[in-house]
Each structure stands twice: as C-alpha cells, then as structure tokens.
Amino acid sequence: MLIQHVFIINRAGSLIYDWDGKVDSTGVEKTFSYPLDIVLDIIDQKVTVVFGERDGIGLRYTVSAINGIPVQACKVIFGGVEKMVLDVIQEEASYPLSIRFQAPTITTNEKIILSSTFHSLYTIAAQLSPALKSSGIEVLTTNHFKLYCYQSTTGVKFVVVGSLSLSSGVDGLLRRIYELYADFALKNPFYSIDMPIRCQRFDDAIRCLIERQDKFSMLTI
Amino acid sequence: MTIFNFYLFNRDGACVLYREWRREKKAVMSMEQELKLMYGMLLSLRSFALKLSTAAGIQQVNSFETSQYKLNYLETPTGLKMVLNTDPNAAGIPELMRSIYQAYVDGVIKNVLIESNAQLSNELFNSRLEQLIQNHPSF
C-alpha cells in the first residue's frame, strides 16, 4: 500500500488514534558458522544488526529466533537453559546456528513516543522559521517515506506517512480524515475529548477511505 | 522564490558557519540559543525518521516544508550537517547543497591550516558560498 501509517495527535501531543497499512515483511533465516560475521548489539531490548548487511539481512534487523526457538527480549532457551542471545552467539560450541532475522517494526509504545516527538518538532519548526507567519511541518521527506501533516484550527494533528510515490491528493485525504474524526469522534456522546478513539465504525471508515485513496493514486501514477 | 539562510554544523554539533540573506523573521531568542535549538531539532528529526521507517538501511532526512519555508538538509557520512532554508517552491536545491559541500572540501578540508572544529573564517570558502547562492536562480 502507498499509505503506511495514519496518526491522530491531540493538542497536547498524545497519540489518540493510529492505523497501519499491511506490511509484508518477511523474515530471513540463515545458518551461520563461527565466527559470526554480522555484528549484533542490544538496542531497546532487542538484539539488532548494527554492522554487516548481507543476504537480505539489513541494518536494524532484529533476531527473532535461534534454531527455531523464539527469542524473548534478548534471551533464548538454548540447551534447556535460558541464556542471553549475545552469549549464545559468542560460544563456538553453539555453532552451526540457524538464526532468523526480522525486519524492523514499530510497537505501540514507540508510536506514542514518535507522536510526542513530532508534536515538539512541529512547534520548533514554526519557531525557527526565517519567514513570517509560518506553520509547523507540513511535509517531511526522507529517502524511504514521506510524512504529511495537517493541523486543524483546534490544534489536532492528522499525520499520514506514505511511500515516496505518494504525492497527489494527500491534502484532500487529510481533510477527509478530519471530517471522519468530526463525524465519528466528536459527535459521539460517549467520547471524551483528547482521549484515544476506540470506535469500530471510525476504523471501518478510515480503512475504506484509504483503500479508495490507494485506487485513486494507482490511476494517477 | 528566495533563499533565507544557511547553517553549517560540524560533527560535534557546533555551528561553524551561519549566513543570512533574506531572512524576514528575526529570532526571538539569542543566536547561540537558536543554533542549539536548530541542532537539537535536526537530531530529533533524524532519530524520528529512523524509528518511523520500517525499511532497513540508512535513513536520510532530505527536507521538510511548512506553509512558508522549506528546510533542506544534507548530512555527509563524516557527520557534517548543512541546513539551507528556502522558499517552498525553490528548485534545484539538493544540487546547490552538493556544490556548497564541494566548495567546503576545496576551501576548508584541503586547507591544512584550518582546525577542523573551529569557527569558519575562511575567506575563499565564504566568497565561494556567496557566489553560489547569489548566482542560483532561486535566490
């Protein structure tokens, strides 16, 4: 899909809604001999590749299983005993090892942190503007994705993260998401302002809107 | 179409060069605080983009736009960071930034008398930078 994520961020910078496109991330499993030529380290409680890309294993990939046994937060049951993954990898007697690597993913906590970070970046970008009366970040371009942001006059931010080829119709999409937010969240008498949105019909409406957007984008490319 | 200002940060985060051409809004804080805030924003942007992407490999923030300006960003593998603020409709800015980097290499890196972390007062690079900016069609 062209659209990878949708976030709605409230006035205080908290994430109140998120939607993910389908990610077809396949893992990579390979058998290794001693010594391992990929450098691994623990980043955010995950055993992560920090150096040595090859055979489809890229930087930031994490170890998800060793000899078919799932890894749980840097530990694995190896030889009947729970051990640190890095210790298992450094023992020569452990080899040959079959290690499965998984592409990077974003957890819910990371989304909450990212939303707060973006809230600050938005404000600072307006502060550091060399031009008068500037808004915050509206389009952020990297070499892997584009991020579009629309802030309503009441301060709620609607953020869409898409692939690089997503370029047309995003403004309309953001305003349409704003309309759905007004219809399904603000008109809900049981919804408290600035709290997370938990409404199945809102989810369905967002999904239909994005699927229609994908079809439209395919036609215009 | 215009070019507002330019920042050059070394790998330690110190601003070694700041140039201003058509800046309309003066900062409400002191210049030293603004440079720290700008560098902090760039660091946060980089880690934000790194975490947000699920693609493997190196993340590189290219630019961001607001309603009134566009911040163009270039970071070299050696940690040098360039920020060029332009009008959102300015064209050809990535090539201009690579030209600036080439002028930096020619005028500063190849000059053995310059301490690499010091404030830039190299007249050759400064005049070359002015020339590149003022001859650009987006200026």
Side-chain angles (χ1 to χ4, degrees):
Chain A
M1 299 183 95
L2 287 176
I3 293 174
Q4 297 162 14
H5 303 284
V6 173
F7 300 115
I8 300 182
I9 302 168
N10 74 6
R11 294 167 293 173
S14 300
L15 180 70
I16 60 177
Y17 181 79
D18 74 278
W19 177 93
D20 287 337
K22 301 298 177 266
V23 184
D24 52 354
S25 73
T26 58
V28 182
E29 183 153 12
K30 271 187 65 62
T31 303
F32 295 90
S33 56
Y34 185 83
L36 191 63
D37 56 357
I38 295 174
V39 180
L40 301 174
D41 201 357
I42 297 177
I43 297 178
D44 291 337
Q45 299 178 43
K46 296 172 190 171
V47 186
T48 309
V49 176
V50 296
F51 188 79
E53 291 180 311
R54 68 177 182 90
D55 300 325
I57 301 166
L59 292 182
R60 299 179 52 227
Y61 272 52
T62 55
V63 175
S64 59
I66 291 185
N67 286 350
I69 303 169
V71 169
Q72 298 287 339
C74 312
K75 293 191 172 76
V76 69
I77 307 292
F78 193 78
V81 182
E82 189 181 53
K83 288 182 179 177
M84 299 294 291
V85 170
L86 294 186
D87 293 342
V88 172
I89 284 165
Q90 283 163 29
E91 285 179 51
E92 183 166 6
S94 313
Y95 287 85
L97 269 180
S98 172
I99 306 180
R100 166 168 274 268
F101 292 90
Q102 178 183 296
T105 57
I106 310 179
T107 63
T108 302
N109 278 347
E110 280 167 3
K111 284 176 194 160
I112 293 171
I113 294 170
L114 288 173
S115 302
S116 303
T117 304
F118 184 75
H119 178 73
S120 306
L121 292 170
Y122 187 93
T123 307
I124 295 174
Q127 240 181 314
L128 288 171
S129 165
L132 295 163
K133 296 186 172 66
S134 173
S135 72
I137 296 172
E138 291 184 348
V139 182
L140 170 67
T141 304
T142 73
N143 58 338
H144 282 118
F145 65 84
K146 271 184 163 179
L147 180 149
Y148 296 85
C149 174
Y150 169 68
Q151 178 173 271
S152 68
T153 47
T154 50
V156 181
K157 291 183 190 61
F158 302 87
V159 175
V160 165
V161 181
S163 62
L164 286 174
S165 49
L166 174 74
S167 59
S168 63
V170 187
D171 280 350
L173 173 70
L174 287 165
R175 275 158 181 76
R176 184 68 185 134
I177 295 174
Y178 183 26
E179 287 173 25
L180 295 180
Y181 167 78
D183 286 344
F184 288 100
L186 298 184
K187 295 181 182 177
N188 182 349
F190 301 105
Y191 174 70
S192 304
I193 294 293
D194 290 339
M195 296 303 285
I197 302 169
R198 304 192 204 283
C199 177
Q200 186 60 47
R201 296 177 67 147
F202 183 64
D203 289 344
D204 295 342
I206 292 283
R207 195 185 67 248
C208 290
L209 175 66
I210 288 170
E211 283 167 359
R212 200 183 331 135
Q213 174 74 18
D214 269 359
K215 293 194 180 90
F216 174 79
S217 296
M218 289 303 177
L219 286 181
T220 56
I221 285 176
Chain B
M1 301 245 284
T2 188
I3 294 179
F4 295 112
N5 53 4
F6 174 78
Y7 304 78
L8 184 61
F9 295 96
N10 65 13
R11 69 181 301 126
D12 302 318
C15 184
V16 296
L17 185 71
Y18 174 74
R19 279 291 175 274
E20 193 175 289
W21 294 282
R22 291 181 172 162
R23 181 171 190 160
E24 298 160 1
K25 174 192 169 193
K26 300 307 171 189
V28 295
M29 60 200 88
S30 71
M31 179 54 61
E32 181 184 322
Q33 281 171 356
E34 176 182 315
L35 299 178
K36 287 180 182 177
L37 186 60
M38 173 63 81
Y39 187 71
M41 178 181 73
L42 298 176
L43 275 191
S44 298
L45 262 181
R46 188 150 59 102
S47 70
F48 174 80
L50 180 73
K51 288 198 170 76
L52 188 55
S53 173
T54 50
I58 300 295
Q59 292 298 314
Q60 182 79 43
V61 176
N62 292 331
S63 66
F64 70 70
E65 284 180 40
T66 72
S67 58
Q68 302 296 330
Y69 79 101
K70 179 178 184 181
L71 182 145
N72 300 272
Y73 179 67
L74 176 69
E75 181 177 352
T76 67
T78 52
L80 191 82
K81 298 174 180 65
M82 291 184 190
V83 173
L84 190 66
N85 288 326
T86 64
D87 190 77
N89 303 308
I93 300 299
E95 293 76 25
L96 171 62
M97 294 188 83
R98 282 191 278 274
S99 302
I100 295 173
Y101 178 65
Q102 188 59 50
Y104 176 83
V105 170
D106 289 341
V108 177
I109 299 292
K110 295 184 179 179
N111 187 337
V112 297
L113 300 178
I114 292 184
E115 177 65 42
S116 63
N117 283 350
Q119 285 282 317
L120 264 184
S121 56
N122 183 304
E123 187 174 326
L124 174 65
F125 174 64
N126 285 325
S127 63
R128 178 67 182 146
L129 174 68
E130 292 287 330
Q131 182 189 348
L132 283 169
I133 294 288
Q134 304 205 15
N135 289 341
H136 196 264
S138 296
F139 184 70

